[in-house]
């Protein structure tokens, strides 16, 4: 019994123990950081903000809980995926890439009251192109086909509550304009 305890202590107490811990590669970390910057930019533009408000609101968690209950009771539930992989849209030319983005991961939990997370969808070309023979047409073919308006409640730089909305992509598709 003491031998097992000693082995465990040695494994976790020395650099050899770190070999058993999975760490993201620098490339994966860079991709994640770029994706977060892209999402921040898109959301800020949707909210008509030049930059993130610099505010400090006490009791933000209490405010968030109150508004979350209010907004969720008046907003219909819309299921969202939490996958970062292409989803089958029944179309081999257009893929829907979705990921669950938490406001806290963006560092916005100090000024965004609601929502706590969003499902961020991007439309990308994939597979064989049925719309046209050229790659450029494939990229133009894959477009959002359905949007959802999501309420956004945040505190601006003057500590005022602002209720705005963001249009988020929900579905992607490729409309064949040739036939």
């Amino acid at each position: 019994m003491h031998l097992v305890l000693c082995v465990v202590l040695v494994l976790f107490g020395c650099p050899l123990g770190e070999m058993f811990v999975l760490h993201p590669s620098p490339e994966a970390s860079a991709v994640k950081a770029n994706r977060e910057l892209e999402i921040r930019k898109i959301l800020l533009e949707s909210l008509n903000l030049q930059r993130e408000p610099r505010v400090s609101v006490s009791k933000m968690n209490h405010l968030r809980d109150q508004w979350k209950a209010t907004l969720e009771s008046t907003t219909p539930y819309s299921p969202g995926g939490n996958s970062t992989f292409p989803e089958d849209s029944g179309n081999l030319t257009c893929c829907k890439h979705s990921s669950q983005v938490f406001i806290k991961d963006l560092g916005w939990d100090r000024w965004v009251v609601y929502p706590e997370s969003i499902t961020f969808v991007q439309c990308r070309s994939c597979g064989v192109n049925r719309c046209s023979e050229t790659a450029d047409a494939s990229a133009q073919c894959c477009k959002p086909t359905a949007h959802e308006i999501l309420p956004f409640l945040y505190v601006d730089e003057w500590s005022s509550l602002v209720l705005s909305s963001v249009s988020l992509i929900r579905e992607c598709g490729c409309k064949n304009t040739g036939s």
Side-chain angles (χ1 to χ4, degrees), residues 145-160:
T145 58
H147 288 80
E148 175 186 29
I149 303 298
L150 181 69
F152 245 79
L153 182 68
Y154 65 93
V155 179
D156 67 10
E157 292 184 357
W158 299 277
S159 297
S160 298

Side-chain angles (χ1 to χ4, degrees), residues 11-155:
L11 284 177
F12 288 109
C14 70
L16 178 64
E18 288 186 29
M19 290 186 341
F20 299 106
V21 179
L22 295 177
H23 297 285
S25 69
E27 295 84 14
S29 296
V31 168
K32 182 180 178 192
N34 286 339
R35 181 158 172 79
E36 285 179 1
L37 285 173
E38 177 186 4
I39 292 170
R40 282 183 183 145
K41 181 182 175 192
I42 290 169
L43 289 175
L44 285 173
E45 286 175 2
S46 297
L47 293 169
N48 292 323
L49 295 173
Q50 298 294 323
R51 59 184 164 82
E52 302 169 16
R54 306 252 184 242
V55 296
S56 175
V57 178
S58 62
K59 301 181 182 178
M60 180 62 100
N61 288 335
H62 179 67
L63 180 64
R64 186 174 286 118
D65 290 342
Q66 285 181 325
W67 280 94
K68 180 180 171 185
T70 302
L71 289 172
E72 285 180 350
S73 68
T74 60
T75 305
Y77 172 75
S78 125
N82 57 5
S83 165
T84 56
F85 298 102
E87 296 176 18
D88 182 14
S89 63
N91 186 335
L92 295 177
T93 60
C94 190
C95 289
K96 178 174 97 171
H97 294 262
S98 65
S99 57
Q100 194 72 22
V101 178
F102 292 89
I103 297 300
K104 188 173 189 170
D105 291 344
L106 295 176
W108 289 4
D109 55 325
R110 291 186 179 159
W111 62 277
V112 173
V113 178
Y114 181 88
E116 291 179 335
S117 68
I118 63 169
T119 301
F120 189 78
V121 175
Q122 291 178 302
C123 301
R124 296 186 187 148
S125 298
C126 61
V128 178
N129 181 12
R130 290 185 182 171
C131 297
S132 177
E133 302 303 315
T134 66
D136 289 340
S138 174
Q140 293 173 359
C141 173
C142 185
K143 298 199 184 273
T145 58
H147 288 80
E148 175 186 29
I149 303 298
L150 181 69
F152 245 79
L153 182 68
Y154 65 93
V155 179

